[in-house]
Amino acid sequence: QKEVEQDPGPLSVPEGAIVSLNCTYSNSAFQYFMWYRQYSRKGPELLMYTYSSGNKEDGRFTAQVDKSSKYISLFIRDSQPSDSATYLCAMREDSGGSNYKLTFGKGTLLTVNP
Amino acid sequence: GAGVSQTPSNKVTEKGKYVELRCDPISGHTALYWYRQSLGQGPEFLIYFQGTGAADDSGLPNDRFFAVRPEGSVSTLKIQRTERGDSAVYLCASSFSGSSYNEQFFGPGTRLTVL
């Protein structure tokens, strides 16, 4: 079993739909939870990060972390064609203030149709 | 300012050859990471530098892979005796160091194809 599981999709939705993406994980030491967006032939770019459990909202994007279930989600409201990309969840342990490696999910390919 | 840059953007080589991939991090970032992304997969950690030293190289798959960062800025990932299974996109990321969370900024990657 991989440390981070993510359904690769693909996921296709009409413009304006609410999109729900999620990941599960097995390592209870993970404390930082991130969502990256990756356009074709580009590097990942950070959308949002959350420390420990809870919700975080940024515009049309909401990230949720449930550490008791080892489950994280990203919701995209009013999805736009420009949101079409691969969405990667990533996690890392809290290494006491120093940087450390990220563990990624496989990524979910999202297409928003106009 | 400029982001993380990687050269070359594409590299095609033959099985058994040696390749070098270069990463220029964001100025002032002391932490540098290499990841490998195979087709249809998420990035997988290879090695992490703090300054000039490799703080964690646990992700390097075998001794054919080696990375250096001699002056604490530019880094080079070196692959000897390349194999077809080494074909992937090699991503570099950099970040500040210090307390709490520091975002890792990724470069566009080098697409390596081993024929």
Side-chain angles (χ1 to χ4, degrees):
Chain A
Q1 183 192 7
K2 296 198 79 171
E3 276 192 298
V4 179
E5 299 281 358
Q6 182 176 9
D7 185 340
L11 185 60
S12 181
V13 301
E15 184 174 352
I18 296 174
V19 176
S20 172
L21 306 167
N22 54 75
C23 292
T24 58
Y25 63 95
S26 56
N27 184 351
S28 57
F30 286 144
Q31 291 279 19
Y32 288 97
F33 303 92
M34 288 137 281
W35 287 96
Y36 281 83
R37 179 173 61 195
Q38 186 175 29
Y39 292 114
S40 182
R41 294 189 174 258
K42 302 286 187 184
E45 57 176 339
L46 181 70
L47 277 176
M48 302 179 69
Y49 85 91
T50 308
Y51 179 75
S52 194
S53 282
N55 294 357
K56 193 171 188 177
E57 189 172 319
D58 184 1
R60 297 185 294 111
F61 298 88
T62 299
Q64 291 184 350
V65 175
D66 181 349
K67 290 191 69 183
S68 62
S69 302
K70 295 190 176 68
Y71 185 91
I72 73 169
S73 302
L74 178 71
F75 298 95
I76 308 174
R77 290 182 298 281
D78 187 26
S79 56
Q80 301 296 309
S82 58
D83 294 330
S84 299
T86 295
Y87 289 79
L88 297 155
C89 63
M91 309 176 189
R92 79 161 177 87
E93 300 179 13
D94 186 351
S95 53
S98 58
N99 294 281
Y100 206 59
K101 63 183 180 183
L102 301 179
T103 302
F104 284 86
K106 272 190 173 184
T108 300
L109 178 61
L110 171 68
T111 301
V112 181
N113 301 298
Chain B
V4 177
S5 62
Q6 293 187 246
T7 53
S9 55
N10 283 283
K11 177 70 177 179
V12 180
T13 191
E14 294 179 343
K15 181 175 177 293
K17 299 289 188 183
Y18 167 84
V19 296
E20 289 190 351
L21 311 179
R22 177 187 167 108
C23 172
D24 279 87
I26 292 171
S27 178
H29 282 186
T30 56
L32 186 146
Y33 305 79
W34 284 98
Y35 294 84
R36 177 168 72 173
Q37 188 172 23
S38 300
L39 191 63
Q41 304 294 317
E44 291 186 314
F45 170 78
L46 295 177
I47 186 170
Y48 151 54
F49 286 91
Q50 182 60 255
T52 60
D56 183 352
D57 65 357
S58 62
L60 295 177
N62 51 58
D63 61 6
R64 296 187 297 106
F65 289 76
F66 189 70
V68 295
R69 196 186 184 199
E71 297 178 356
S73 178
V74 170
S75 176
T76 305
L77 178 66
K78 308 179 181 198
I79 311 174
Q80 298 177 318
R81 304 183 304 280
T82 52
E83 299 177 357
R84 292 194 180 88
D86 298 335
S87 296
V89 175
Y90 289 81
L91 293 164
C92 176
S94 70
S95 73
F96 286 112
S97 297
S99 61
S100 73
Y101 174 81
N102 288 298
E103 178 182 349
Q104 292 185 27
F105 293 84
F106 282 82
T110 293
R111 185 173 298 270
L112 175 66
T113 303
V114 182
L115 302 176

